[in-house]
Amino acid sequence: MNDYKWVEEIPTSHLSNRALVLLSQFSRILKKVNGRHLNLQDSDLTTSLVREYGLTDNAELHSIFTKLLVEFHSAVELKTPPSLSRSALAAKGSRRISRVNIYRPNK
C-alpha cells in the first residue's frame, strides 16, 4: 500500500465535490459488503480510504478507487505550486528544444 502514500497526504479540504461523491459511494458499498464505513468528516479520511481499499477485493470498490485516484491527481495538480507540479518538473527534465518567437512585420 506504499504506492498510495501520496493519497494519505491529501488534505480533505483539497478534495473536489466529485471526489466527495465518489468517497460517499465507496463508503455505502463498503458498508453493504462488509459492514464497515468511512467517516466522511474524518480528518484522516484519505488514510482510512487507502486502508479499506487494501482490505477489500470487491471489484466495485476497486473501480471507485480508480476513479478517486484520477480526482486525487487533479487535487494535487491544482494545489501544487506551478514550479513544483509534475508537468513543470517533467518539462524541466526533458531535452526539448525551446521555440523562439520571431517577430516578422507584415510587408
Side-chain angles (χ1 to χ4, degrees):
M1 287 286 91
N2 284 338
D3 294 342
Y4 302 111
K5 189 69 175 167
W6 63 273
V7 171
E8 296 177 9
E9 296 172 4
I10 300 173
T12 307
S13 62
H14 291 174
L15 299 178
S16 67
N17 288 339
R18 172 128 172 87
L20 294 174
V21 168
L22 289 168
L23 282 163
S24 176
Q25 290 174 353
F26 188 96
S27 182
R28 274 186 271 131
I29 294 168
L30 183 67
K31 178 89 171 167
K32 280 197 294 188
V33 170
N34 57 21
R36 294 188 305 267
H37 70 88
L38 296 176
N39 180 358
L40 299 179
Q41 296 179 341
D42 187 9
S43 61
D44 293 331
L45 176 60
T46 52
T47 303
S48 300
L49 170 71
V50 171
R51 183 180 61 246
E52 291 297 338
Y53 170 74
L55 295 174
T56 187
D57 60 352
N58 182 281
E60 195 171 5
L61 289 175
H62 281 256
S63 173
I64 293 172
F65 186 79
T66 302
K67 292 175 188 174
L68 277 165
L69 288 178
V70 172
E71 290 298 314
F72 293 156
H73 279 289
S74 297
V76 169
E77 285 290 322
L78 290 175
K79 300 301 178 183
T80 303
S83 61
L84 296 178
S85 71
R86 286 192 318 238
S87 57
L89 291 174
K92 284 181 184 179
S94 70
R95 296 182 184 258
R96 287 188 243 164
I97 298 171
S98 61
R99 294 185 207 171
V100 177
N101 292 329
I102 299 173
Y103 174 73
R104 294 184 184 158
N106 294 333
K107 292 185 179 183

